[in-house]
Amino acid sequence: WKFAKSAHKGQVRRFIGLSYFEAHVKKVNAIVKQHTTDEDILCASLLHDVIEDCFEDPEVGHHIIEGKFGKKIADVVQELTSSKEEIEDDYDSKADYLIIKMIHMSNEALFIKLCDRLQNISDAFTASERFRTKYFQETVQIMDELEGHRRYNRVQDLLVNQIKMKLDNINSIFKIKRFDEI
């Protein structure tokens, strides 16, 4: 808790202006807590954005997390870390990158990633129209592709259904076209 809060110090959640730790990390952790008491998974959920968002800080890399919290947690956090360079160099879009990444994730990492996606899509209601549309379309594309390429366990299936319900709610309010409807 303290390590993640310190690592994200000074970062602000877009569109709502609150501390990133309070407005996102704690909320993802709360969703994870609804489904597990596994301390490694709970810890990884608190650290899920640390490497990605604090890459300039030498105190938050994989080796630091492994030293402080163990290999399992560090490896799950690494799985959850997106590479901007890889996205730009090897993929047409972030959605394409995330689809491949999520298809091949461990069950533990996918569980946290789905909690993260659920929390992010929940924030779409207060986001700018441009961000909401982009995130909605990206999430629809990811969910559609995952369904055809990944088997879910019971909890993952529940989270996917919650994400789809949020997408339906957003679409009913804001009437966003899917990529395949454009």
Side-chain angles (χ1 to χ4, degrees):
W1 189 277
K2 289 179 186 176
F3 182 85
K5 188 171 186 174
S6 175
H8 289 293
K9 187 176 182 175
Q11 296 175 358
V12 177
R13 184 71 164 160
R14 263 193 271 183
F15 311 115
I16 56 175
L18 298 174
S19 133
Y20 188 78
F21 181 80
E22 297 293 325
H24 177 68
V25 175
K26 279 177 57 175
K27 289 180 179 183
V28 171
N29 181 256
I31 296 169
V32 171
K33 279 183 185 175
Q34 293 174 15
H35 303 285
T36 189
T37 57
D38 183 307
E39 289 182 10
D40 288 339
I41 301 305
L42 290 166
C43 186
S45 74
L46 286 169
L47 300 170
H48 78 275
D49 277 338
V50 166
I51 296 173
E52 183 176 329
D53 291 348
C54 309
F55 61 91
E56 293 176 1
D57 186 343
E59 297 299 316
V60 296
H62 180 274
H63 65 289
I64 300 293
I65 293 172
E66 183 175 353
K68 289 183 177 290
F69 306 106
K71 182 171 174 34
K72 179 180 178 183
I73 292 168
D75 288 350
V76 170
V77 172
Q78 188 65 52
E79 279 188 85
L80 293 164
T81 301
S82 292
S83 166
K84 290 178 184 166
E85 294 81 23
E86 194 174 338
I87 294 167
E88 290 171 3
D89 294 345
D90 300 334
Y91 292 89
D92 292 331
S93 69
K94 185 174 181 183
D96 291 339
Y97 168 82
L98 288 172
I99 290 163
I100 299 301
K101 191 169 183 66
M102 291 169 75
I103 286 171
H104 295 98
M105 277 182 177
S106 66
N107 279 326
E108 293 89 352
L110 182 62
F111 165 52
I112 295 169
K113 187 64 177 170
L114 290 170
C115 292
D116 178 52
R117 189 56 55 165
L118 176 59
Q119 199 289 310
N120 281 333
I121 202 67
S122 298
D123 278 356
F125 290 94
T126 58
S128 71
E129 181 180 354
R130 182 173 175 245
F131 180 84
R132 178 177 39 252
T133 299
K134 182 180 183 291
Y135 204 82
F136 172 88
Q137 291 171 336
E138 179 181 278
T139 303
V140 168
Q141 182 182 357
I142 291 167
M143 293 298 107
D144 286 351
E145 288 293 324
L146 274 182
E147 205 160 349
H149 295 94
R150 178 81 194 228
R151 290 190 118 166
Y152 302 128
N153 63 32
R154 183 187 59 78
V155 173
Q156 292 165 346
D157 192 49
L158 178 66
L159 291 165
V160 166
N161 286 328
Q162 289 177 335
I163 291 167
K164 288 178 178 180
M165 286 189 324
K166 289 282 186 198
L167 291 169
D168 287 345
N169 289 343
I170 290 167
N171 193 39
S172 70
I173 295 168
F174 300 105
K175 309 294 186 225
I176 302 172
K177 292 189 184 292
R178 296 167 48 118
F179 279 132
D180 56 7
E181 296 173 341
I182 297 174

